[in-house]
Amino acid sequence: MLRRPALALAPAAWLLLAGLLRGNEVGAARANKHKPWLEPTYHGIVTENDNTVLLDPPLIALDKDAPLRFAGEICGFKIHGQNVPFDAVVVDKSTGEGQLRSKEKLDCELQKDYTFAIQAYDCGRGPGGSAGAKKSHKATVHIQVNDVNEYAPVFKEKSYQATAVEGRRHESILRVEAVDADCSPQFSQICSYEIVTPNVPFTVDKDGYIKNTEKLKYGKEHQYKLTVTAYDCGKKRAAEDVLVKISVKPACTPGWQGWSDRVEYEPGTGALALFPSLHLETCDEPVVSVQATVELETSHIGKGCDRDTYSEKSLHRLCGAAAGTAELLPSPSGPLNWTVGLPTDNGHDSDQVFEFNGTQAVRVPDGVVSVDPNEPFTVSVWMRHGPFGRRKETILCSSDRTDMNRHHYSLFLHGCRFIFLLRQDPSAEKKYKPAEFHWKLTQVCDEEWHHYVLNVDIPTVTLYVDGVPHEPFSVTEDHPLHPSRIETQLVVGACWQENSGVESDNDTEPLPVASAGGDLHMTQFFRGDLAGLTIRSGKLTDKKVIDCLYTCKEGLDLPVPEDGGRGVKIQANPSQSVLTLEGEDVGEVEKALQHVAYLNSRQFPTPGIRRLRLTSVVRCGNEAACVAVPPVDGSVVVLQPEEPKISLSGVHHFARAASEFESSEGVFLFPELRIISTITREVEPDGEGDEDPTVQESLVSEEIVHDLDTCQVTVEGEELNPEQESLEVDAARLQPKGMEVSHSDLGVTFTGVDSMASYEEALRLLRYRNWHSRSLLDRKFKLICSELNGRYVSNEFQVEVNVIHTANPVEHASHMAAQPQFVHPEHRSFVDLSGHNLANPHPFAVVPSTATVVIVVCVSFLVFMIILGVFRIRAAHQRAVRDQDAGKENEMDWDDSALTITVNPMETYEDQRSEEEEEEEEEEESEDGEEEDDVTSAESESSEEEEGEHGDPRTGNRQQQLEWDDSTLSY
């Protein structure tokens, strides 16, 4: 009775309980009505060696839903930002307290502060805070990383040096400076310096300035060595102390300072400053002006300085002179060999200088030069006169060859006078005309090199000495010469005259010279050195050409400085060997002198020492010279230039048909000529190879471009026969290049300064012709090129040309057995011509071509295959015949009961032996088939036909070997 009501109430109770629970949930949802709240801004501090951030104000998130569970609790914080090395954790959910911590070790030196946003969220409806959680606004957090004094001060220099003048108390001698890598001002600043070395007369302040505490004495100590340390504001000492060297300078002495007595010049590097750190010590004197003179001594280099050593004719052409220059003292080579007996100065880098000692002279061959007194002409010469003498010394003289002693024109010296004589032609008008011109010059007697140019245009003669014109101080007139048929003799270094008893104005004892035609003598010998003696007829040399011929390729250079040189007057001599600078401001004069440079524009300068001297005059007030500045002596050392290696390459050996040699065009000797020049440089190894003795320097070859001045093609063996052969070149195509071509029986010579490419093109145009080539088998030529008058010489490039002769073919049974005609014995063996150039080969050429060799090999291989097939067919045929004979013997059915048959016992042995021999022959013929090159396919077919007609002879022999013993037969 009591249980039924309980059962009836149970459903209602459950419904009531569900409604209560649902109501609680709705109430909880309605209770989380507020978002957590944070301060808008936080400021924090964290130390490098700590990970906890101290925030101001503390990190606390508030929620108005408190004290409700979940809704009023803070479940976490979220940080917004990229690469933020911090995490925010909740310390107490109910109070909302949190804490910031660094996720990694912080470094103030890398980043001093951080800024990011942070946001708090509550727990919502559950402990995880994911369901219904609400977030606060984003607060800004600024965190500063505090520095730790982890770095020690470090000095900027490894050591310091300074100079202090004795007898003075200096405010500051030098400054040492250290730095600290810490990030904070407290630990990164250097607060003090300290001299560790005891008992030294120096002190250092907090800024690092060192000064002396007493007057220094040079006699007591030449140099002081101090050890200095530094401290940062955290009292941390420098990791390493620094060494300071203070040299004591003696009492002030006026003079130039900061110069080097030896300056090395690398060829091809342009201008080199001689005094980049020059300073004038005036010892505080009131200087009002300074005059400085820089002198470069080059008289011992070449002809007074470094110049191009090309031939004089080439130099005239380079300077723009007109054509027609004749050299009277050329370098001895080929037909220009009349100077071969003169001693030369070989110590001046291929600069052709001839020495005359007062007993030597040379006769110039006829036809080298022709002078017409009625036409203008120019005489040019480099001369260094010997010791002073009062006798006449002749440089150049044209006089009667026989009978008389008349001088037609001559150039001679008498004391310090420079004299030129020119007698008018007999055909001229019979009246007095200027004939002898005198100049009195100090340059004639100073024993130095000078350049003399005479522009002769009667009645005017102008003399240029080192580019400066000089007028004659005395001119003597004379009648024209009397007419005669006597030929003249041109002599350099003396005068040609006959010893006929006639009084002569010569004071020198004549010396006999062995010659046909009588007792002839040389007189008025020259003593000294001559070079570049030339005569050019028909036109005078203008001033620009004269200046170009004299201008040095080396000298002093003074580019205008951008930051100095104001108010400085600069003067230079024509050869740029002396520079004079003058100014009132000492500093401006110093800046100008610091830009004075040595320049050598030659690609391959003459190596050696050039003396250098700097003299000065310093004026104070109205005094002439208040400060005595001693001169400065030094030297410029021009290093040896990299020697170029001129290489000639191309086709060394080729063959051409005889008809090509006989054609009007001929055969080009150097169709593929290539001229290159290389230098070899030493390249130091990378790293610290100098300390390792096992590491060697490597050589690198580098191609360069420069000019050539001579290329000589000579024939080897017999000289050229002008009646049947010649070397030819199109002169019209060479004229724009400025080259000249001279021919002789020995070959051809190309002269003139031009590029290697131009010489390549010119030499490729050289042709060889031979209009009687029937007896010619080959011809050999040699090519050599040079630069700077033979200073650099190429390799010998040899070319051999073979002549291909042709003839009508001769009938032979087999064309393989035919021998070519006109075969020289040395060509009977096979010659490999893989490197030769065969143009238009003929069927019966002496030298077989590559195609012919390939055809012969292919035909031989084909013949071998045919022979091998024929022998295989024969072997098969023989086996078939034996099998047929054996079958016939088996068919014979004899009644041999009464027969007595005698069988040859050798039959079986011979049959076996013949079969073995056949097999051995087949094997031997298969192995030796390659040697059967003479057998043709026609011969193979004929052998097969013969076999078909006659059959196998061994089969017949075997049948004949059967013998019947018929003595017992009865018929």
Side-chain angles (χ1 to χ4, degrees):
M1 294 295 294
L2 294 173
R3 291 182 181 177
R4 287 182 179 178
L7 293 172
L9 293 173
W14 285 108
L15 291 173
L16 179 61
L17 180 59
L20 291 173
L21 291 175
R22 186 174 300 172
N24 289 337
E25 292 177 0
V26 173
R30 291 177 180 176
N32 192 12
K33 296 187 292 184
H34 302 92
K35 297 179 180 180
W37 179 86
L38 290 174
E39 295 286 345
T41 304
Y42 294 89
H43 294 274
I45 297 174
V46 63
T47 309
E48 281 184 321
N49 56 2
D50 194 4
N51 64 345
T52 302
V53 180
L54 300 179
L55 288 178
D56 182 26
L59 181 60
I60 297 177
L62 302 179
D63 196 326
K64 291 183 179 181
D65 293 326
L68 293 179
R69 189 179 181 188
F70 303 135
E73 295 178 347
I74 302 301
C75 271
F77 297 91
K78 185 176 182 181
I79 294 177
H80 297 274
Q82 294 182 352
N83 301 325
V84 179
F86 295 97
D87 281 333
V89 297
V90 178
V91 179
D92 191 344
K93 291 183 178 182
S94 60
T95 61
E97 181 182 356
Q99 190 178 48
L100 279 178
R101 296 177 181 175
S102 62
K103 296 187 294 184
E104 57 191 36
K105 186 177 179 181
L106 303 177
D107 192 347
C108 176
E109 286 72 32
L110 297 178
Q111 188 168 349
K112 295 182 179 181
D113 51 39
Y114 297 88
T115 300
F116 53 89
I118 192 170
Q119 194 175 27
Y121 60 90
D122 58 20
C123 295
R125 295 194 300 270
S130 59
K134 291 190 175 183
K135 299 180 181 179
S136 69
H137 64 278
K138 294 181 180 179
T140 302
V141 180
H142 301 282
I143 298 178
Q144 179 181 349
V145 181
N146 281 352
D147 188 21
V148 176
N149 194 8
E150 54 185 329
Y151 293 100
V154 177
F155 284 95
K156 289 185 176 181
E157 304 289 340
K158 293 183 178 180
S159 63
Y160 293 86
Q161 292 184 355
T163 302
V165 180
E166 68 172 346
R168 294 184 182 180
R169 296 283 295 269
H170 298 272
E171 292 296 329
S172 174
I173 299 175
L174 78 159
R175 184 189 181 190
V176 295
E177 188 176 0
V179 294
D180 197 308
D182 288 311
C183 66
S184 64
Q186 178 183 1
F187 300 132
S188 63
Q189 292 184 356
I190 307 300
C191 282
S192 63
Y193 293 90
E194 180 183 348
I195 296 177
V196 180
T197 305
N199 302 325
V200 290
F202 299 95
T203 183
V204 60
D205 60 14
K206 62 183 182 65
D207 295 324
Y209 290 98
I210 299 177
K211 62 181 180 179
N212 56 322
T213 57
E214 61 184 40
K215 293 182 179 181
L216 305 178
K217 295 182 180 181
Y218 180 79
K220 180 179 179 181
E221 193 73 40
H222 291 357
Q223 187 183 66
Y224 291 90
K225 295 182 180 180
L226 316 176
T227 302
V228 180
T229 189
Y231 294 91
D232 60 16
C233 294
K235 300 299 181 182
K236 194 161 190 175
R237 184 172 174 172
E240 292 183 4
D241 299 336
V242 71
L243 177 64
V244 179
K245 296 180 181 179
I246 299 177
S247 301
V248 180
K249 182 181 178 182
C252 180
T253 301
W256 293 103
Q257 300 175 356
W259 55 275
S260 176
D261 59 351
R262 177 186 171 94
V263 179
E264 292 186 352
Y265 180 79
E266 182 75 24
T269 57
L272 175 65
L274 299 176
F275 315 106
S277 303
L278 193 66
H279 167 68
L280 178 60
E281 178 60 59
T282 60
C283 298
D284 299 332
E285 293 290 340
V287 177
V288 296
S289 67
V290 177
Q291 181 183 11
T293 302
V294 183
E295 299 177 67
L296 182 69
E297 177 61 37
T298 61
S299 60
H300 61 290
I301 302 296
K303 299 186 289 289
C305 65
D306 207 1
R307 296 181 175 89
D308 285 330
T309 56
Y310 295 116
S311 66
E312 199 67 23
K313 184 183 294 186
S314 298
L315 290 175
H316 278 72
R317 189 181 300 112
L318 287 175
C319 290
T325 300
E327 285 190 83
L328 304 185
L329 288 177
S331 299
S333 63
L336 310 177
N337 60 355
W338 62 84
T339 60
V340 69
L342 283 177
T344 59
D345 185 357
N346 295 321
H348 292 298
D349 199 16
S350 299
D351 198 359
Q352 198 67 58
V353 175
F354 295 93
E355 297 180 355
F356 295 83
N357 60 5
T359 61
Q360 297 159 323
V362 293
R363 288 177 288 179
V364 180
D366 296 338
V368 174
V369 63
S370 176
V371 173
D372 185 357
N374 299 320
E375 296 292 332
F377 64 93
T378 298
V379 181
S380 175
V381 65
W382 283 93
M383 181 185 71
R384 180 171 59 185
H385 191 202
F388 176 78
R390 298 187 179 276
R391 297 178 177 180
K392 289 184 179 180
E393 300 179 37
T394 300
I395 300 172
L396 179 67
C397 178
S398 175
S399 59
D400 290 336
R401 182 169 296 179
T402 58
D403 298 334
M404 301 184 183
N405 295 324
R406 299 180 304 173
H407 294 183
H408 293 253
Y409 65 89
S410 65
L411 184 63
F412 60 95
L413 309 176
H414 194 184
C416 291
R417 294 185 181 184
F418 191 87
I419 305 170
F420 176 68
L421 170 68
L422 178 63
R423 302 291 299 276
Q424 292 299 309
D425 191 81
S427 61
E429 186 179 358
K430 305 297 183 180
K431 67 178 183 178
Y432 282 96
K433 287 186 178 182
E436 194 169 89
F437 301 81
H438 295 248
W439 292 268
K440 186 179 293 185
L441 303 170
T442 58
Q443 292 90 336
V444 174
C445 301
D446 61 3
E447 300 185 24
E448 299 290 342
W449 278 105
H450 296 284
H451 186 229
Y452 302 85
V453 177
L454 273 171
N455 272 343
V456 182
D457 189 7
I458 299 299
T460 303
V461 177
T462 304
L463 173 65
Y464 293 87
V465 181
D466 297 338
V468 179
H470 294 265
E471 295 297 329
F473 81 93
S474 175
V475 178
T476 304
E477 296 182 344
D478 200 351
H479 267 288
L481 293 171
H482 297 289
S484 68
R485 295 183 180 181
I486 302 174
E487 295 183 354
T488 60
Q489 175 66 60
L490 184 60
V491 176
V492 177
C495 204
W496 184 267
Q497 123 178 349
E498 182 185 17
N499 186 19
S500 58
V502 180
E503 287 294 329
S504 172
D505 58 356
N506 177 40
D507 299 329
T508 306
E509 183 68 23
L511 296 177
V513 178
S515 177
D519 186 15
L520 305 180
H521 293 75
M522 292 283 191
T523 185
Q524 299 179 6
F525 286 92
F526 173 77
R527 291 179 299 168
D529 299 324
L530 296 178
L533 178 58
T534 62
I535 295 181
R536 185 160 60 89
S537 302
K539 189 175 181 181
L540 300 179
T541 302
D542 57 25
K543 184 66 167 57
K544 291 183 179 180
V545 176
I546 295 173
D547 292 339
C548 175
L549 292 173
Y550 175 70
T551 301
C552 295
K553 294 294 184 178
E554 66 176 341
L556 299 174
D557 183 43
L558 181 57
V560 178
E562 297 179 358
D563 57 344
R566 301 178 182 87
V568 178
K569 297 179 181 179
I570 303 173
Q571 293 180 347
N573 66 335
S575 62
Q576 291 293 112
S577 61
V578 179
L579 279 178
T580 302
L581 299 86
E582 186 174 1
E584 297 179 356
D585 190 341
V586 177
E588 294 298 327
V589 175
E590 288 178 352
K591 290 180 181 179
L593 283 171
Q594 290 171 2
H595 288 82
V596 173
Y598 170 79
L599 177 63
N600 195 317
S601 59
R602 292 190 66 190
Q603 188 175 10
F604 306 107
T606 304
I609 297 177
R610 279 77 165 165
R611 300 296 177 187
L612 194 65
R613 188 175 181 86
L614 172 60
T615 56
S616 309
V617 177
V618 180
R619 295 182 177 87
C620 304
N622 296 327
E623 299 182 14
C626 61
V627 179
V629 179
V632 171
D633 292 315
S635 61
V636 178
V637 181
V638 178
L639 302 179
Q640 180 74 34
E642 300 288 347
E643 183 172 348
K645 180 181 179 182
I646 306 172
S647 301
L648 309 178
S649 61
V651 179
H652 288 273
H653 192 179
F654 60 89
R656 293 290 185 273
S659 58
E660 295 188 31
F661 289 90
E662 298 176 359
S663 66
S664 60
E665 185 177 356
V667 175
F668 291 95
L669 291 181
F670 309 104
E672 300 179 13
L673 180 66
R674 182 82 172 101
I675 304 177
I676 63 172
S677 182
T678 57
I679 58 174
T680 303
R681 299 182 184 273
E682 292 184 356
V683 179
E684 297 182 356
D686 297 336
E688 300 179 354
D690 296 339
E691 300 178 359
D692 188 359
T694 61
V695 178
Q696 297 182 354
E697 295 180 345
S698 58
L699 300 179
V700 176
S701 182
E702 177 181 334
E703 185 172 348
I704 62 172
V705 177
H706 59 82
D707 294 333
L708 299 176
D709 59 357
T710 304
C711 279
Q712 189 173 14
V713 181
T714 56
V715 61
E716 294 189 350
E718 297 181 359
E719 296 182 357
L720 293 174
N721 185 358
E723 297 180 358
Q724 68 178 21
E725 59 182 344
S726 66
L727 289 173
E728 301 176 358
V729 66
D730 190 355
R733 300 179 64 177
L734 294 183
Q735 192 171 9
K737 302 180 182 299
M739 294 185 191
E740 293 185 0
V741 182
S742 59
H743 297 264
S744 68
D745 294 342
L746 299 176
V748 175
T749 302
F750 295 78
T751 57
V753 181
D754 213 327
S755 64
M756 293 185 292
S758 297
Y759 267 92
E760 266 187 18
E761 184 179 352
L763 288 168
R764 289 175 181 177
L765 299 175
L766 184 63
R767 309 185 308 272
Y768 171 67
R769 290 186 59 205
N770 191 312
W771 44 92
H772 296 290
S773 61
R774 293 183 178 181
S775 60
L776 180 66
L777 293 175
D778 55 31
R779 209 68 163 111
K780 296 180 181 180
F781 300 90
K782 179 176 65 177
L783 170 63
I784 299 178
C785 294
S786 63
E787 158 75 333
L788 294 175
N789 204 17
R791 180 179 176 184
Y792 302 117
V793 183
S794 71
N795 61 306
E796 291 186 359
F797 180 71
Q798 296 182 344
V799 172
E800 180 178 350
V801 183
N802 294 110
V803 182
I804 301 176
H805 297 278
T806 60
N808 295 326
V810 182
E811 294 295 333
H812 292 276
S814 173
H815 72 276
M816 297 300 297
Q819 298 294 332
Q821 297 184 4
F822 304 106
V823 180
H824 195 272
E826 64 179 0
H827 293 290
R828 289 192 180 274
S829 60
F830 176 74
V831 181
D832 184 11
L833 292 180
S834 58
H836 297 181
N837 223 348
L838 292 176
N840 301 326
H842 298 275
F844 293 91
V846 175
V847 184
S849 64
T850 305
T852 304
V853 176
V854 173
I855 292 173
V856 171
V857 173
C858 293
V859 170
S860 302
F861 180 74
L862 180 61
V863 170
F864 162 71
M865 295 301 296
I866 293 174
I867 293 174
L868 181 61
V870 169
F871 276 108
R872 289 193 174 185
I873 293 173
R874 289 178 58 189
H877 178 69
Q878 290 174 359
R879 284 195 296 269
V881 171
R882 286 198 301 268
D883 294 341
Q884 185 177 1
D885 292 342
K888 290 180 179 180
E889 291 177 359
N890 293 333
E891 292 177 358
M892 295 178 65
D893 189 7
W894 294 90
D895 185 7
D896 55 358
S897 56
L899 291 177
T900 301
I901 300 175
T902 303
V903 180
N904 187 359
M906 296 296 293
E907 179 183 359
T908 305
Y909 171 75
E910 290 179 356
D911 290 342
Q912 295 176 354
R913 183 178 180 183
S914 63
E915 292 176 359
E916 292 176 356
E917 289 177 353
E918 289 174 0
E919 293 177 358
E920 291 178 358
E921 288 177 0
E922 290 176 2
E923 293 177 357
E924 291 174 358
E925 290 168 351
S926 298
E927 294 176 357
D928 301 337
E930 297 180 358
E931 299 177 1
E932 302 289 338
D933 295 334
D934 316 4
V935 183
T936 62
S937 59
E939 293 173 349
S940 300
E941 292 176 359
S942 63
S943 63
E944 290 180 3
E945 293 174 357
E946 292 174 0
E947 289 176 2
E949 293 176 358
H950 299 287
D952 190 353
R954 285 176 292 186
T955 305
N957 292 336
R958 190 166 53 250
Q959 292 177 355
Q960 293 175 1
Q961 289 174 359
L962 295 175
E963 296 180 1
W964 295 88
D965 187 7
D966 53 358
S967 58
T968 58
L969 290 178
S970 58
Y971 295 93

